[in-house]
Amino acid sequence: MPVVVRTPPAETQALVKLTGGLEIGPDHQQVIKLDALSRGTALTASAYASVLHLRGEGVTPQPHQNRDGDILCWNGEIFEGLDISPNENDGKKLFEALTGTEQPVDVLAQIEGPWVIVNVKSTNTLYYARDPLGRRSLLVHHPTEGQPHFIIASSCDGVVTGFEFEEVTPDGIHCIKFDAIDEAERIVSEFGRATQLLSRVTQTASKMEYVLIPPLNNTLPSTEVQETWSSPSPGVTQALDDFLNVLNESVQLRVQHVPHHHPVGPGFARVAVLFSGGIDCTVLAYLAHKHLPLSEPIDLLNVAFENPRTLKAASKPSGKGKKTKPSSEAAEQDVPEQGRSTYDVPDRLTGREEAEELRRCCPARTWNFVEIDVPYEDCQRERPKVQNLMYPNQTVMDLSLALALFFASRGIGHVTNSDGTSTPYTSQARVLLSGLGSDELLGGYSRHRKAFSRDGWQGLVEELQLDLTRLPSRNLGRDDRVISSNGKETRYPFLSLSVVSFLANLPVETKVNPFLEEGRGDKMLLRMLAERMGLVLASRRKKRAMQFGSRSARMEGGDADRKGDAIL
């Protein structure tokens, strides 16, 4: 979804190459060119959009354009706010609302969902923005002497483009008034005075949780918390009931009305879950089951990497009489190294167990546990592409996470039949659910327990507030660029601003209880919910990082000593 301001206009082929548009939006592509973007200058613009059809009865072409010359490039989903029927396209409805106002900020304050927009007004003004949590990718290149163009795009072709892309900050609505640029040749020197950052807060905002991330409830427990798992307090019981309602609605909004696509029909999944077997993804899979027809399966996408370093380490004899101290990585994975096949990584083992638990709890549903095995050679072959996709993120940790998401979202693997045989399977689901956000909102990281040990409830509240504040910088843009390259869209039920607001407002002791052991007290509210659903195994799962659980990290000798924040 690039908009390029330059002279002369960008060519269509260059725009497609810049963004990988055919892969991201395979259902429709279109370029609109604008002349005379500002009075008395030669500034022109090209707007290119590719469409992945996920809303409405048919494909709605983009960019949207009206008779006045206004243009909207829209990449997102409106789940709350504007009234949109199942057969309507949310981008089209949003464009109608934006056309009727000179203040896009007022309209954007009324919608909830993951989104980015670029809105060009006939008044020679351009607005661009991300939702308050930054759940969709948007990159910007500001004019430089070497590349005197202004470019906004959902993705770019990595460092090879020669442009200096950076993430658009989700801290407001960005505005450019091109009439402030006197001559096209001065776009570099005069661009700064043409730009403005507008606040999301307006007097007409109907729901402030759609505009700002609310502060955490910082009230400390008035009495000593002595909660036991089997006898929660009335406050926790009420919070549990309310949490189920809020999270269930969030999942429902994200899985209902997903269009069927050719050749997908009966017997094919429209919705998949990025599935490690952890508590977050298992609870989401269970709730998705409640809102999808039983005639269609749900795909559980489980990725595992051939990791030469860990395989070599596992094959070495420990030596007679020698006591080996387990590494912190092995301890975190909590799975024995010996006696495993190449792809029996920690997430594969827990994934199989949780797939079986879902089958026991929901026997009428077909659960496709898709085992996505990634040979080392395949990983190395795709690595340059993944590095380009994740750009401008360039660290070791970025790559290990991006590789796992790239192969998982591609969905090429196999399923095991009831007789034990294996059948090749490629997931056709375009909507992927992710459990991201629950650890930040519910106290799931080890640092939360450490903060409590150091400074009591006050320390825990302060650590949770930091996580809440940092949500917009959780690299969701990177994940969106990687996953959308496979023609898929990720949806985050825990990161609905309605869910975020609800959990932020709860007293801290109703969400987490550091007096209980690990696997109980961390994310206590979610664990209690899982147990109520019958997901007993899931309710006991401990936190495990995706890059270690899938073995996408530290693949070669020497990698073990490289820190995650090291630049590639």
Side-chain angles (χ1 to χ4, degrees), residues 309 328-329 376 380 383 387 390 393-400 403 547-548 552-568:
R309 188 184 66 83
S328 59
E329 178 184 331
Y376 178 71
Q380 293 303 103
R383 175 174 168 164
Q387 284 191 241
M390 72 185 199
N393 299 71
Q394 302 180 72
T395 69
V396 170
M397 182 177 291
D398 285 320
L399 180 60
S400 60
L403 284 169
Q547 66 271 30
F548 296 133
S552 65
R554 303 172 180 173
M555 289 201 176
E556 299 170 348
D559 283 355
D561 298 324
R562 298 187 71 187
K563 293 185 177 181
D565 57 359
I567 300 298
L568 293 166

Side-chain angles (χ1 to χ4, degrees), residues 202-514:
T202 71
Q203 294 181 347
T204 60
S206 59
K207 286 194 174 185
M208 290 305 293
E209 67 258 36
Y210 296 170
V211 178
L212 297 174
I213 301 173
L216 193 76
N217 182 338
N218 59 8
T219 304
L220 303 183
S222 57
T223 59
E224 186 176 349
V225 175
Q226 295 181 336
E227 202 119 346
T228 63
W229 184 268
S230 58
S231 57
S233 68
V236 170
T237 301
Q238 184 61 55
L240 188 60
D241 293 338
D242 295 340
F243 181 38
L244 174 58
N245 292 333
V246 172
L247 184 60
N248 182 58
E249 182 180 14
S250 179
V251 172
Q252 179 180 7
L253 290 171
R254 284 156 178 77
V255 302
Q256 65 182 359
H257 310 313
V258 177
H260 288 280
H261 292 92
H262 182 78
V264 179
F268 288 88
R270 289 179 294 163
V271 173
V273 183
L274 296 172
F275 195 76
S276 65
I279 181 174
D280 311 323
C281 59
T282 306
V283 167
L284 294 183
Y286 178 92
L287 291 175
H289 158 73
K290 299 295 184 182
H291 303 292
L292 291 169
L294 288 175
S295 59
E296 61 186 64
I298 295 176
D299 289 346
L300 307 175
L301 306 180
N302 183 276
V303 65
F305 287 78
E306 178 188 14
N307 187 310
R309 188 184 66 83
T310 57
L311 291 171
K312 182 179 180 181
S315 66
K316 289 183 178 179
S318 59
K320 290 185 178 180
K322 283 189 176 182
K323 291 185 178 180
T324 58
K325 185 178 179 181
S327 67
S328 59
E329 178 184 331
E332 181 180 3
Q333 291 160 353
D334 198 27
V335 176
E337 296 283 352
Q338 300 292 338
R340 298 186 306 161
S341 71
T342 299
Y343 298 108
D344 278 344
V345 303
D347 281 359
R348 176 62 50 82
L349 302 181
T350 55
R352 286 174 183 155
E353 290 178 353
E354 284 311 321
E356 285 305 311
E357 185 165 53
L358 284 168
R359 291 182 180 117
R360 290 194 298 270
C361 292
C362 315
R365 170 77 58 190
T366 297
W367 298 96
N368 289 329
F369 183 68
V370 186
E371 300 186 26
I372 300 165
D373 299 336
V374 184
Y376 178 71
E377 290 184 1
D378 289 2
C379 182
Q380 293 303 103
R381 183 176 61 250
E382 297 292 351
R383 175 174 168 164
K385 177 180 180 178
V386 174
Q387 284 191 241
N388 277 346
L389 288 168
M390 72 185 199
Y391 182 82
N393 299 71
Q394 302 180 72
T395 69
V396 170
M397 182 177 291
D398 285 320
L399 180 60
S400 60
L401 292 170
L403 284 169
L405 291 172
F406 175 79
F407 284 101
S409 61
R410 196 169 65 166
I412 302 175
H414 60 92
V415 294
T416 301
N417 304 314
S418 57
D419 61 359
T421 59
S422 179
T423 302
Y425 183 88
T426 299
S427 175
Q428 302 295 323
R430 290 185 168 191
V431 170
L432 312 182
L433 296 183
S434 167
L436 195 74
S438 72
D439 291 302
E440 290 81 359
L441 296 168
L442 290 159
Y445 290 114
S446 60
R447 64 173 177 268
H448 295 131
R449 191 174 288 270
K450 291 176 182 177
F452 179 82
S453 299
R454 184 177 61 247
D455 296 312
W457 286 108
Q458 183 64 46
L460 176 56
V461 167
E462 290 175 358
E463 192 69 29
L464 287 168
Q465 179 62 68
L466 280 174
D467 277 318
L468 190 62
T469 304
R470 290 188 294 230
L471 277 177
S473 59
R474 285 288 294 162
N475 291 318
L476 294 171
R478 173 201 65 201
D479 299 349
D480 182 44
R481 290 190 291 279
V482 171
I483 292 172
S484 64
S485 71
N486 288 315
K488 308 294 177 69
E489 178 177 281
T490 320
R491 298 179 179 179
Y492 305 97
F494 286 105
L495 290 182
S496 157
L497 281 168
S498 295
V499 174
V500 171
S501 179
F502 168 77
L503 291 175
N505 287 327
L506 285 179
V508 62
E509 70 272 16
T510 63
K511 297 179 287 190
V512 56
N513 185 347

